[in-house]
Amino acid sequence: MIVGYKREGAPIPLVAIHPFWRKLDCNTPYVEDYTDVVDIGPEIELLLSRFKPPVKIHTRGRKRSGKAREKDISEESTKRDKSGFEYVIQSIKQSSQLDVSIPNQISQAKFMKQPKEEKVNTQRAMLLRKRTMDTERYLNEFPPFLAPFIRNIMDVLGDGHCGYRVVSSFLDMADDGWKDVRHDLLEHIEHHPKLYERVFYDHHRMEELKSSLKCQSSFADNSHCMSMPDMGCVIASCYKIVVVHISKLQCLTFLPLQHPPPPVESQRILCIGYVSGCHVVRLHLTSDSPLPPASRTWERFRSDVASTWITPYLDRMKIFKSFVGHDVDIVDIHDIEE
């Protein structure tokens, strides 16, 4: 079509351009679609039907008695036709001589026909729990010198709640633990309004972050995603943990603002990795890995009792500074003279 306009020397009308290229914003939300679910129910039923032998019905002859009659009742009774599952179990017992015992409720429920919508939801839930993540590609999203110190990268569902899913997985919460994390962080800010008005330098900014935490729907838009580094000190202070933020452009360590540290062996480090410009994963670092410098937010607004949180990590922070390049920002607050 465009070749025709060019050949004729005519301008290209706006309606001939795809709507995507008519937008000023080319960014698209990071959403994983699991609506294309494969239903293998018919194939399973076909497979089971192959194990079901034809039933021989006795229509003539006199009734048999004694042991022969007991055998007919136990093995060839026509009062109830065995299910395909029972024939499979029987064939396994005969071939392997194993004691296979399966509760009736389980065997019946497994082959009970479910409504289509319920079956799709069940399969989608199984996909979300059992899918394998290609996390090696994320290694290029972090400073190269950190690669030898990354033991594992754990991915989470990219539904806009990924940052809070990472926190809930670190705290060993359930699949929907991200809801509790949002609630905990919101409650923490509301209990310390004066502190976080100073931390965020603006009451309006604090209200924006509180609003971003108020989302319990299945998918979250950009306005409800986790904002880093703003939420770093909030997470660290709420759960009394060390939070490390790693990305190609910025690396920081956040420490609790108001609580004294526990013994070093009891301190826990949550490492959050920011990838693809819109997604969050969880990094598992080695115990001797370099750590980014502490955020200036912590240095300026921490209480005196929280000042020793940084002590066990000073050497690791010095090593990080010696390796990091100028293309990676290691501060969250820039002074005017900088």
Side-chain angles (χ1 to χ4, degrees):
M1 183 182 293
I2 296 179
V3 176
Y5 292 127
K6 184 177 181 181
R7 187 183 299 113
E8 296 175 3
I12 301 174
L14 188 61
V15 294
I17 301 175
H18 193 276
F20 178 83
W21 302 109
R22 284 183 275 171
K23 299 189 305 178
L24 295 178
D25 182 16
C26 294
N27 294 328
T28 56
Y30 184 88
V31 177
E32 297 185 16
D33 187 14
Y34 294 96
T35 57
D36 189 14
V37 180
V38 179
D39 185 6
I40 63 173
E43 286 77 8
I44 293 179
E45 294 178 0
L46 178 62
L47 179 63
L48 293 175
S49 65
R50 298 183 60 182
F51 291 93
K52 183 177 180 180
V55 179
K56 185 177 180 180
I57 303 176
H58 295 281
T59 58
R60 298 191 310 175
R62 66 182 181 87
K63 294 183 179 181
R64 303 176 66 183
S65 61
K67 295 183 178 180
R69 184 177 178 181
E70 293 178 359
K71 182 178 181 181
D72 287 343
I73 295 175
S74 62
E75 296 183 2
E76 300 178 2
S77 173
T78 59
K79 293 182 178 179
R80 185 183 70 83
D81 186 16
K82 294 181 179 180
S83 67
F85 184 73
E86 290 174 310
Y87 281 112
V88 174
I89 297 299
Q90 184 178 1
S91 64
I92 294 175
K93 287 182 178 180
Q94 293 174 353
S95 60
S96 62
Q97 300 299 321
L98 294 177
D99 183 15
V100 181
S101 59
I102 299 179
N104 292 332
Q105 294 180 352
I106 297 178
S107 61
Q108 293 175 3
K110 187 173 182 180
F111 293 92
M112 188 178 297
K113 191 172 182 180
Q114 299 177 349
K116 185 175 181 181
E117 183 178 355
E118 182 180 349
K119 185 183 295 184
V120 170
N121 291 336
T122 302
Q123 291 177 346
R124 181 180 298 150
M126 294 299 293
L127 283 172
L128 295 181
R129 286 166 174 78
K130 294 187 177 181
R131 66 189 180 126
T132 56
M133 305 291 186
D134 179 19
T135 55
E136 292 185 1
R137 58 193 171 96
Y138 290 142
L139 280 175
N140 296 327
E141 300 281 347
F142 310 115
F145 70 89
L146 279 179
F149 302 98
I150 299 177
R151 293 191 294 111
N152 184 34
I153 302 175
M154 192 193 84
D155 203 354
V156 294
L157 184 61
D159 55 358
H161 303 292
C162 51
Y164 303 101
R165 287 183 180 275
V166 166
V167 178
S168 67
S169 70
F170 177 79
L171 299 173
D172 297 325
M173 294 182 175
D175 290 347
D176 60 348
W178 56 269
K179 297 181 180 180
D180 296 327
V181 172
R182 283 182 176 273
H183 177 268
D184 292 345
L185 297 178
L186 177 60
E187 192 176 61
H188 177 76
I189 295 176
E190 291 178 341
H191 285 176
H192 305 86
K194 293 183 180 180
L195 170 64
Y196 287 107
E197 280 185 5
R198 293 167 53 218
V199 168
F200 300 131
Y201 289 96
D202 184 13
H203 177 78
H204 178 68
R205 178 55 182 160
M206 183 184 72
E207 292 300 322
E208 284 183 346
L209 291 175
K210 288 170 59 177
S211 177
S212 71
L213 291 168
K214 299 175 181 178
C215 180
Q216 300 291 315
S217 59
S218 300
F219 292 91
D221 56 20
N222 291 336
S223 64
H224 292 94
C225 293
M226 178 181 287
S227 174
M228 293 294 284
D230 292 328
M231 296 303 297
C233 280
V234 181
I235 298 172
S237 299
C238 180
Y239 295 109
K240 303 178 183 63
I241 58 175
V242 179
V243 178
V244 176
H245 172 63
I246 301 290
S247 72
K248 265 187 176 180
L249 301 178
Q250 189 178 49
C251 297
L252 292 164
T253 297
F254 301 94
L255 304 166
L257 295 171
Q258 293 183 307
H259 303 281
V264 177
E265 59 273 12
S266 301
Q267 296 182 18
R268 303 178 65 190
I269 301 178
L270 165 61
C271 188
I272 298 175
Y274 186 70
V275 298
S276 304
C278 60
H279 188 50
V280 176
V281 296
R282 178 181 168 191
L283 303 182
H284 295 264
L285 302 178
T286 60
S287 59
D288 60 344
S289 67
L291 294 180
S295 70
R296 289 185 178 178
T297 299
W298 177 81
E299 293 176 350
R300 293 187 179 185
F301 301 106
R302 62 167 175 78
S303 62
D304 293 337
V305 296
S307 61
T308 55
W309 269 98
I310 196 174
T311 304
Y313 311 109
L314 286 174
D315 292 339
R316 297 168 67 177
M317 292 177 179
K318 290 179 181 178
I319 296 175
F320 189 97
K321 287 182 178 180
S322 66
F323 281 109
V324 71
H326 296 289
D327 55 334
V328 180
D329 199 358
I330 55 175
V331 295
D332 56 338
I333 300 176
H334 292 273
D335 295 326
I336 296 177
E337 58 268 17
E338 295 179 345

